[in-house]
Each structure stands twice: as C-alpha cells, then as structure tokens.
Amino acid sequence: MMKGYMKKLFVGGIPFKYGDQDLAALFTPFGQVISAKVIIDRAMNRSKGFGFVEMNAADADKAIATLDGSDLEGRSLVVNEARPMVPRDNR
C-alpha cells in the first residue's frame, strides 16, 4: 500500500482550538494521514497555530495544491513541504 515516498508537511494558520485529530481530519480527504501533530506552547498550554502532517507524496501534493492559501475559520492556511529544522544558535 505504500506507494512512492512520504512527505512531511508544515501546516500554519491552524485555528488555536484544533488538536491532532482535527488536523488529521483536515487532510484525510486527500489520502491516508500517517501522522498529524499540532505544536503546543508548553508555557501557555495551547496550540501555537501550526503543526505537521505526514502522508505519501502524491497525496501530500494534492493537499498542498488545494489547502495552501485557503481559508479555515477566518485564518489563512499555509501548507507546504516541511523543511528540516535548523538548529538554533543559543548563544
């Protein structure tokens, strides 16, 4: 069932009330969601308004084409291929 390779997507502009399941549900129409994670601000104990979704590359491309720039509850979604995290210089 694994065709092609996996892509990790960055998803920004998520409503703050969204959790992992809500994020997964947003991407399910495009194909099987392998993982969906909303990033939580530990100090504030609430969503930072972005997250990551993993799915196969063809489905991910369809999701980017459809969802990037779309409106979700008054917020503009940003959906693109996640870039590797750059280590922060904490000096």
Side-chain angles (χ1 to χ4, degrees):
M1 183 165 154
M2 298 284 286
K3 57 185 188 293
Y5 62 99
M6 306 309 296
K7 265 191 187 172
K8 189 171 193 176
L9 302 180
F10 167 82
V11 187
I14 304 166
F16 291 111
K17 67 181 184 191
Y18 268 46
D20 297 349
Q21 283 81 16
D22 303 302
L23 185 58
L26 186 62
F27 283 82
T28 300
F30 303 98
Q32 184 188 6
V33 173
I34 304 305
S35 70
K37 184 84 186 125
V38 173
I39 304 305
I40 301 296
D41 181 331
R42 286 201 192 91
M44 305 286 283
N45 198 27
R46 70 169 212 166
S47 163
K48 289 189 173 187
F50 71 93
F52 296 94
V53 172
E54 245 179 319
M55 55 196 319
N56 90 43
D59 296 338
D61 291 340
K62 284 187 282 188
I64 291 170
T66 305
L67 293 175
D68 186 45
S70 67
D71 179 273
L72 181 64
E73 299 184 22
R75 294 177 58 110
S76 182
L77 280 180
V78 176
V79 183
N80 52 42
E81 200 170 337
R83 291 182 281 286
M85 195 165 135
V86 178
R88 284 192 221 154
D89 190 358
N90 287 332
R91 275 185 278 161

